[in-house]
Amino acid sequence: YNLTPQLVVSFDSSYSSGQIDKLLSAGISYLFLNAGAGSNFSVVEMQNTLLGELTGEMHNAYLLNQWMNQSLSAISNQTSNITASKELSAFYYQSSGSDIYTTGNNTFFNDFFEYSHLKNVAISVQGGFATVSPEVIAASPPDIIFLDQYVNSSALTVYPFNDTPAYRNGSVYVLPNENIFSEPNFRDVYAIPWMIDKAYGFKVTIPALPYNLQDNPDPIASGG
């Protein structure tokens, strides 16, 4: 399809300089939004503002950021009874193989954990999405494991996962939409109620978006 875009927005840093140069030579602007270390909900709001400036939709960007803040506040209010002593521990298994990849501190995924009142057992991991040693997991065995769609569940049948409360109790949940957990944008807010429901067994509600969209903006419900 010849979509003739004026701007390409990417969360993937694997594009070569040659590929990006081709876009720029064709008069197409390129914008990379970081999904790794240093990315959080505040950064998402700044990205909304930047995209609003680029597209001439500043008012909509303002409304979107306002909705995000109202939603996060609503989540905090509805989970205020989950005190620190009641918080469960959790681990995000992003990819498996020779190494175990997860998300550490100072990432937007760690914001998911914090707003969901879950203790990230990999909080000591630096550099955003990175590897973690089996010993870190064994030292703080998680109560909940969130499994990326591309991680085979058989990876949990071996050390260190097979002796965790999450594995023993069947508290392992496959992400319903991988993109919402790997691409920082306003739709990430919808991930938090899903995580709270899986971990604590109750539903929280957030305000509706301040404008109508043709497609359901909730990627958990829409599957896209």
Side-chain angles (χ1 to χ4, degrees), residues 172-201:
V172 178
Y173 304 101
V174 179
L175 304 185
N177 184 325
E178 191 270 344
N179 289 340
I180 193 175
F181 295 90
S182 62
E183 299 178 356
N185 60 69
F186 77 93
R187 302 197 309 163
D188 295 337
V189 171
Y190 291 103
I192 302 172
W194 179 83
M195 294 176 72
I196 293 170
D197 183 31
K198 296 303 180 185
Y200 296 105

Side-chain angles (χ1 to χ4, degrees), residues 45-66:
E45 292 185 16
M46 289 189 285
Q47 291 175 354
N48 293 340
T49 300
L50 174 60
L51 290 171
E53 292 174 345
L54 291 173
T55 59
E57 296 288 347
M58 278 300 298
H59 180 64
N60 282 335
Y62 166 79
L63 292 178
L64 191 59
N65 287 342
Q66 184 181 57

Side-chain angles (χ1 to χ4, degrees), residues 8-20:
V8 170
V9 180
S10 173
F11 297 97
D12 190 341
S13 60
S14 64
Y15 292 111
S16 68
S17 58
Q19 290 172 310
I20 297 172

